[in-house]
Amino acid sequence: SRFSRAQRGISQFVVARQQPDGSPGRSVIAGYPWFGDWGRDTMISLPGLTLVTGRPEIARQILLTFARFVDRGMLPNRFPDAGEEPEYNTIDATLWYVEAIRAYYAATADDSLLAEIYPVLKDIVAWHRRGTRYNIHLDEADGLIYGGSPEVQLTWMDAKLDEWVVTPRIGKPVEINALWYNALCSLAGFARRLGHVADADAYEGMATQTKQGFQRFWNSEQGYCYDVLDGPAGDDPSLRPNQLFAVSLPYSPLDEAQARSVVDVCARRLLTSHGLRSLSPDDPQYIGHYGGDRRTRDAAYHQGTTWGWLLGPFVSAHYRVHRDPAQARAFLL
């Protein structure tokens, strides 16, 4: 069957990854032939690779493996070759990790995994509150996560050529804070499930502040979210698909009218038959062709290039606000 063939195909992406103590573990290759295993790609793909295909035991191994590599509240962005240290230049992989755990627990109700991994999750929140690498920290004034510095690319829009970071997105990126809100709500549920009532109350309080602070992203004049707040040049009004995660994730910080407006604007201006554009064609920085030498390609990578993986979040967001399964399914055909 096609499902069996798909299972065999995706099995090739699940690989061995030795843990810090030398014991065996599991990870996910980001892409053949030259990519290794990346934290962000692993956690985004984990539900589809393992849970949808009925292999939660592999998901469990991956989640536990990555728990061993959490350092200063951060998941590795990339595992270099053998003998080298992991790289931690990512702001979102850690938050996708929490979402992957939520998806795993929703599918399995595995309390033992939750209990084992809960101290790591608490540590993640604590580090984000006190501040960790690359100026990643919680702004206690509005409950939003800030991060970034000129020399590093921390979000999935991570093209870099020599010392040139094409889309640095320094400040408070919209999808990071959608993920942060989703993580806090998930952790509150985990804590309550495990009987940690005080923790649950604290996470719920933090989530409430983040939800209120998230309203700063709303650009009422345009009817969609700013892409980044509090950057070096102020707030970035670029229309990008990153805001879709504020609708597609299980816990949304937007109200119903805002969520619908985000989906409809992205459908009109970013959606294509192959995925979503990384930047609106109306933007003066838009590049409508991906090709040429390396510098030309990297300049276009997240400045208009269409990305197929964004169809999943778009379809989830569209279904959430329109409740039209036939239309949602049609986007995938």
Side-chain angles (χ1 to χ4, degrees):
S1 69
R2 281 187 292 178
F3 185 72
S4 297
R5 290 198 298 273
Q7 280 187 310
R8 290 194 296 273
I10 63 179
S11 293
Q12 299 176 63
F13 290 91
V14 178
V15 297
R17 161 58 61 185
Q18 189 176 74
Q19 299 187 58
D21 63 2
S23 61
R26 293 287 189 99
S27 187
V28 173
I29 287 292
Y32 291 104
W34 56 77
F35 285 124
D37 44 339
W38 296 62
R40 175 189 300 118
D41 303 62
T42 296
M43 297 309 149
I44 291 174
S45 64
L46 182 145
L49 288 176
T50 63
L51 302 178
V52 174
T53 56
R55 299 182 296 174
E57 71 284 354
I58 295 178
R60 192 181 204 278
Q61 293 171 343
I62 294 170
L63 294 172
L64 288 173
T65 298
F66 272 80
R68 311 292 187 261
F69 286 95
V70 172
D71 182 77
R72 295 174 62 184
M74 296 178 67
L75 212 69
N77 183 41
R78 185 175 76 89
F79 288 104
D81 294 333
E84 298 178 346
E85 292 297 316
E87 297 176 0
Y88 286 87
N89 56 321
T90 170
I91 192 171
D92 56 341
T94 311
L95 304 177
W96 279 115
Y97 180 58
V98 180
E99 169 54 18
I101 294 168
R102 185 214 59 80
Y104 171 81
Y105 187 78
T108 65
D110 185 350
D111 286 328
S112 64
L113 179 280
L114 198 60
E116 182 173 353
I117 224 160
Y118 182 73
V120 175
L121 298 178
K122 281 193 67 173
D123 191 57
I124 285 170
V125 174
W127 270 105
H128 280 69
R129 294 191 73 173
R130 75 170 66 103
T132 185
R133 298 174 178 88
Y134 306 113
N135 202 19
I136 298 170
H137 67 275
L138 178 68
D139 185 341
E140 298 284 358
D142 57 12
L144 302 178
I145 294 291
Y146 180 101
S149 55
E151 76 282 359
V152 69
Q153 68 284 37
L154 296 178
T155 72
W156 80 273
M157 292 186 163
D158 58 356
K160 183 179 181 181
L161 183 63
D162 299 324
E163 298 306 312
W164 177 37
V165 178
V166 182
T167 50
R169 303 182 73 226
I170 299 168
K172 300 169 181 174
V174 64
E175 81 280 13
I176 300 307
N177 284 284
L179 283 160
W180 175 247
Y181 176 72
N182 186 72
L184 290 174
C185 293
S186 298
L187 260 69
F190 298 159
R192 210 163 288 285
R193 175 67 182 177
L194 295 172
H196 303 306
V197 177
D199 287 354
D201 291 343
Y203 294 141
E204 287 172 359
M206 293 174 66
T208 296
Q209 186 194 20
T210 298
K211 185 173 185 178
Q212 293 169 347
F214 199 89
Q215 285 301 307
R216 293 190 55 216
F217 281 101
W218 188 247
N219 185 335
S220 57
E221 181 179 342
Q222 298 295 331
Y224 58 80
C225 292
Y226 286 98
D227 188 57
V228 181
L229 297 179
D230 299 341
D235 300 338
D236 182 0
S238 303
L239 175 57
R240 295 186 183 274
N242 302 306
Q243 61 192 292
L244 283 168
F245 295 107
V247 186
S248 64
L249 288 165
Y251 299 99
S252 171
L254 298 175
D255 65 36
E256 291 184 10
Q258 291 170 338
R260 180 183 290 264
S261 183
V262 163
V263 171
D264 291 348
V265 169
C266 289
R268 288 196 306 270
R269 296 166 64 181
L270 300 180
L271 182 66
T272 76
S273 57
H274 298 287
L276 277 86
R277 299 181 179 97
S278 46
L279 183 65
S280 169
D282 302 325
D283 194 292
Q285 302 298 315
Y286 175 79
I287 301 174
H289 175 74
Y290 179 81
D293 60 20
R294 182 187 171 195
R295 184 177 183 85
T296 305
R297 296 196 310 272
D298 283 357
Y301 212 45
H302 301 107
Q303 295 293 81
T305 298
T306 292
W307 290 78
W309 79 278
L310 295 170
L311 268 178
F314 173 79
V315 169
S316 296
H318 191 280
Y319 179 73
R320 184 174 195 160
V321 301
H322 290 292
R323 293 296 170 184
D324 185 341
Q327 180 61 69
R329 191 178 299 111
F331 291 121
L332 301 174
L333 301 178

